Every structure is written in C-alpha cells, then in structure tokens.
Amino acid sequence: MPTAISKEKIDLSSENNTKDLANQIINKIKVGDIVFFYGEMGVGKTTFIKYLINAFQKKNNLKLSEVTSPTFNLLNEYEINQVKIHHYDLFRLKSAEDVKNLNLFESYSKAITLIEWPQIIKEKPKNLIEFKFNYEDDHKKRSVQIKGLNLS
C-alpha cells in the first residue's frame, strides 16, 4: 500500500506505489464516476491511469491493454465486460467551447470517465473525484492528493 508523505499526500515516487494505489481504488471507483487528473506533464497521470485500467482488466480476467495518453485523438475507450472506461486528454483544447463539442458528460452514467488536463472545464460535474499529482522537492519524488474518494 502506498505510504503517505504528509497527512493528505500519497507517495507515488515509485511505479510500485502507483500500481498499488490503482489496485487499492478499483473497488471504490464505479460506473457514473468522473475523475479529473491534474498535474504537470510527466508527473504520472497517464501511468496511474494505465495501472488503473489494467487493474480493472486483471480483476475481470481480461487481457491487459496497452494504455497510452489520448493526447492527439482526445479519447481512448476501453470496454471491461459491461463497463466502459472513457479516457480523455484535454491538453490540446483551447476553449471551453471545444469541451462542449465533446459532450464529455453526455453518457457518463454508463461509463467511468477519466479526464487528464480538466482545467478548461468550467462547471464541475457531480460524482467528481479529483487526483492532484505533484512533484515534491527535487522532482525525484511524486505525490498525489485525492478529493472525493474515501480510501478507508
């Protein structure tokens, strides 16, 4: 299980900690949840999402997918039995109007929606979970703060 750096931060300095956290929360994230991932480029957002999606696949005895950032196509979709996971990357979007055109939240009740770079979204949806990834000290350590999800 990942260890805490401080009261509210979880240490993700190693890939094993990142993988352990993903395995820990797969039973807490459910269809209808929308998860925002904040943090600088390279801090571990996509790596965490890869482990999260792979943990769902492993739990359902499915072949593990190669999970990559949908930076250029904006959306990667994964189907895990009857559950769809929508993985968005909004890094290249320039305006809130671009977000409206994506209809991000149109079918959220039938999927788990994971969104990297959500800063451009004006109105936060219900069922929101937020992951804020940070570099600590000299960029060798990483942490995440989670809001909207009970880990106990």
Side-chain angles (χ1 to χ4, degrees):
M1 175 188 284
T3 56
I5 288 176
S6 72
K7 186 176 176 185
E8 297 179 6
K9 294 180 184 179
I10 299 169
D11 179 17
L12 296 183
S13 296
S14 76
E15 263 196 71
N16 280 337
N17 284 3
T18 303
K19 187 176 184 178
D20 289 347
L21 180 61
N23 286 323
Q24 180 185 351
I25 69 163
I26 61 166
N27 294 319
K28 306 213 182 267
I29 293 180
K30 59 193 178 309
V31 172
D33 284 340
I34 298 167
V35 187
F36 284 4
F37 294 87
Y38 298 93
E40 294 178 52
M41 199 168 290
V43 76
K45 298 179 300 292
T46 304
T47 299
F48 177 81
I49 290 169
K50 172 186 84 167
Y51 285 124
L52 183 65
I53 290 169
N54 286 166
F56 277 115
Q57 291 169 328
K58 188 180 268 188
K59 179 181 176 185
N60 289 278
N61 298 313
L62 298 172
K63 183 180 176 188
L64 303 185
S65 299
E66 181 180 345
V67 176
T68 59
S69 178
T71 303
F72 294 101
N73 53 346
L74 300 177
L75 169 66
N76 288 341
E77 190 173 86
Y78 304 87
E79 195 158 330
I80 301 171
N81 293 337
Q82 277 65 50
V83 176
K84 285 191 178 185
I85 298 178
H86 296 152
H87 176 199
Y88 290 93
D89 185 324
L90 307 183
F91 181 75
R92 295 183 329 117
L93 297 185
K94 302 294 181 219
S95 73
E97 192 63 33
D98 292 340
V99 173
K100 279 185 184 176
N101 293 336
L102 285 177
N103 296 318
L104 284 175
F105 309 123
E106 189 172 279
S107 62
Y108 79 91
S109 64
K110 298 175 185 160
I112 296 169
T113 305
L114 311 175
I115 303 173
E116 294 186 62
W117 302 98
Q119 293 86 330
I120 197 166
I121 297 172
K122 298 275 188 223
E123 294 180 36
K124 290 186 178 183
K126 295 178 182 177
N127 301 328
L128 180 62
I129 300 166
E130 296 175 290
F131 281 69
K132 294 183 180 176
F133 289 79
N134 295 293
Y135 285 112
E136 301 290 329
D137 305 325
D138 56 4
H139 283 74
K140 291 182 182 177
K141 293 183 180 181
R142 296 178 173 122
S143 68
V144 66
Q145 294 174 285
I146 304 170
K147 182 179 175 186
L149 185 68
N150 184 1
L151 293 179
S152 52

